[in-house]
Amino acid sequence: MKARIYITRKLPDEVVRGLQEQFHVTMWEKVDIPVPYEILEKEIQHVDGLFSMLTETIDEKLLQKAKKLKVISTMAVGYNNIDIAAASKQRIMVTHTPGVLTETTADLTFALLMAAARRVIEASDYVRKGSWKTWSPMLLTGQDIYGSTLGIIGFGQIGQALARRAAGFNMKVLYYSRSRKEHAEKETGAIYTDLESLLKESDFVSVLTPLTAETKHIIDEKELALMKKTAILINTARGEVVNETALYQALQNGEILAAGLDVFQEEPISMDHPLLTLPNVVALPHIGSASVKTRLAMAHLAAQQLIDGLHGKRPENTVNPIVFE
Ligand code: NAP
Ligand code: GLV
Ligand code: GLV
């Protein structure tokens, strides 16, 4: 008998077809609305596998309903939305999709850095609004990228890919991470520093850690105060690594110059959020890995890992290998 799986969002047809060959598939068919928690709570009782997104909260209460569940395959590298300890306790393997989205997310991080530095969105809005009357010497002047200093917090796959891009702009790259990466230092020329020095010396600060208990608000009032008045903060990790209230204050008071944000504490960000009132904030709707090619690769990898996990083969990227012991 075929195993049963639930897919929490409409996926590309070719990926769904592949899964239907192996499993009895139920899918939340909507594109722009996530599956409500109450529906997922019902569906999860009957399935052996779950194909999920970063928009689902997979907590202990939900997992306790999942009596048959063996695999959760999330189509993301970050898995802070899943209670891994609770899953492990029930011997449910959790797989994610690192690697395939690294370069695409580093591209977007660099795009956000450049957009914030050169006020690209503000300038485009200026043209569209009909404000452009003449060229003038100091109109919409921003910050130089070439030759500046980039500080990367969390020097993993995406952080290192960002450092490789920075080399082309002759940037000095500082990094702070949980562990030192001497091999990556040789490859990228990045210099390991403590967090305080990184914050003081960088023109751009990019956060690229996972969201964990340790990294929550790793950028808070104190860290923002250490940054240069001309510094620009880029967050393509998770919203909660930055204290948004403190960030708003720092931007409003001119303690830092600008911010480029792809992620927010609450997604979608509420339209009356104070950050959206600031012209020096570039806000994107969590599109770090959003290229056609990469999203397809992520979907295929997540599907393959679900297939492997349910067929008794070790998936390539298991977050909690403790379940194999
Ligand atoms: P990764 O390879 O695991 O890199 C994360 C790095 O952060 C690792 O080097 C890790 O250090 C470091 N780190 C962990 N905890 C830390 C701490 N407390 N202090 C300092 N450094 C710490 O992951 P990745 O593929 O680069 O992805 C990073 C994160 O980006 C993901 O977890 C996800 O949340 C986010 N992301 C966002 C988007 C988007 O659409 N905006 C797309 C992809 C990913 P060690 O090497 O010592 O473990
Ligand atoms: C996206 O944010 C991811 O974690 O893959
Ligand atoms: C600008 O367009 C210049 O020619 O300097």
Side-chain angles (χ1 to χ4, degrees):
M1 215 182 65
K2 276 184 180 177
R4 303 182 83 88
I5 67 162
Y6 188 74
I7 307 175
T8 64
R9 198 73 62 91
K10 189 168 167 38
L11 290 177
D13 289 341
E14 60 180 89
V15 180
V16 180
R17 276 198 301 274
L19 288 166
Q20 280 168 336
E21 282 166 17
Q22 314 265 346
F23 307 120
H24 182 83
V25 176
T26 310
M27 181 166 74
W28 177 252
E29 296 279 350
K30 301 207 164 79
V31 177
D32 50 4
I33 305 173
V35 57
Y37 186 87
E38 300 69 39
I39 293 181
L40 188 54
E41 217 175 7
K42 290 205 182 78
E43 296 288 350
I44 208 168
Q45 299 177 24
H46 313 294
V47 297
D48 308 280
L50 180 70
F51 189 121
S52 59
M53 312 292 145
L54 56 82
T55 43
E56 277 76 64
T57 301
I58 302 178
D59 55 13
E60 184 155 28
K61 177 168 164 271
L62 186 87
L63 289 172
Q64 279 165 353
K65 302 270 165 65
K67 300 290 183 211
K68 297 171 64 191
L69 193 63
K70 291 175 203 68
V71 187
I72 298 169
S73 177
T74 184
M75 193 180 130
V77 61
Y79 48 83
N80 52 285
N81 57 313
I82 304 172
D83 186 335
I84 302 298
S88 301
K89 211 157 65 187
Q90 290 177 232
R91 306 197 75 74
I92 298 167
M93 61 185 107
V94 180
T95 68
H96 67 147
T97 60
V100 291
L101 44 56
T102 298
E103 301 300 343
T104 303
T105 308
D107 282 350
L108 190 277
T109 305
F110 213 84
L112 202 43
L113 182 157
M114 294 192 73
R118 294 299 304 273
R119 305 170 62 181
V120 172
I121 310 299
E122 215 185 321
S124 173
D125 289 346
Y126 182 85
V127 174
R128 288 166 175 276
K129 274 194 319 234
S131 307
W132 188 21
K133 304 299 178 207
T134 180
W135 185 94
S136 85
M138 297 309 278
L139 175 67
L140 285 161
T141 44
Q143 299 296 303
D144 278 318
I145 299 149
Y146 190 88
S148 65
T149 298
L150 168 64
I152 303 174
I153 302 172
F155 206 50
Q157 297 205 58
I158 302 168
Q160 291 171 35
L162 184 67
R164 289 195 291 273
R165 282 157 182 73
F169 284 75
N170 193 31
M171 291 168 108
K172 176 176 176 184
V173 179
L174 307 175
Y175 80 94
Y176 165 74
S177 207
R178 188 165 53 179
S179 58
R180 195 166 163 183
K181 322 263 170 209
E182 290 183 20
H183 178 76
E185 285 174 26
K186 284 203 189 80
E187 194 215 337
T188 63
I191 302 161
Y192 181 74
T193 64
D194 58 280
L195 183 57
E196 191 173 322
S197 313
L198 179 148
L199 293 165
K200 283 183 178 161
E201 291 168 32
S202 298
D203 300 303
F204 299 92
V205 174
S206 166
V207 200
L208 278 164
T209 64
L211 172 61
T212 63
E214 293 81 51
T215 63
K216 184 178 175 189
H217 292 186
I218 196 168
I219 300 295
D220 209 329
E221 204 176 325
K222 172 171 158 262
E223 288 71 30
L224 290 159
L226 288 169
M227 287 168 65
K228 294 182 184 180
K229 286 202 178 342
T230 51
I232 296 176
L233 178 72
I234 307 298
N235 185 5
T236 47
R238 284 291 181 270
E240 283 161 289
V241 303
V242 175
N243 179 343
E244 286 179 355
T245 311
L247 176 62
Y248 172 77
Q249 295 295 343
L251 288 164
Q252 171 82 350
N253 302 337
E255 282 174 51
I256 69 167
L257 188 72
L261 310 170
D262 184 43
V263 289
F264 298 88
Q265 193 176 315
E266 218 184 283
E267 296 182 2
I269 187 172
S270 144
M271 283 310 292
D272 56 15
H273 195 293
L275 279 172
L276 296 185
T277 64
L278 301 174
N280 50 345
V281 168
V282 179
L284 300 180
H286 203 147
I287 56 166
S289 63
S291 74
V292 177
K293 191 172 152 211
T294 290
R295 285 290 167 81
L296 259 181
M298 289 164 68
H300 279 295
L301 177 57
Q304 190 56 49
Q305 298 191 120
L306 193 54
I307 292 167
D308 288 346
L310 288 176
H311 289 171
K313 220 172 119 189
R314 262 191 191 220
E316 205 178 319
N317 307 287
T318 307
V319 171
N320 56 347
I322 191 169
V323 297
F324 300 125
E325 283 166 18

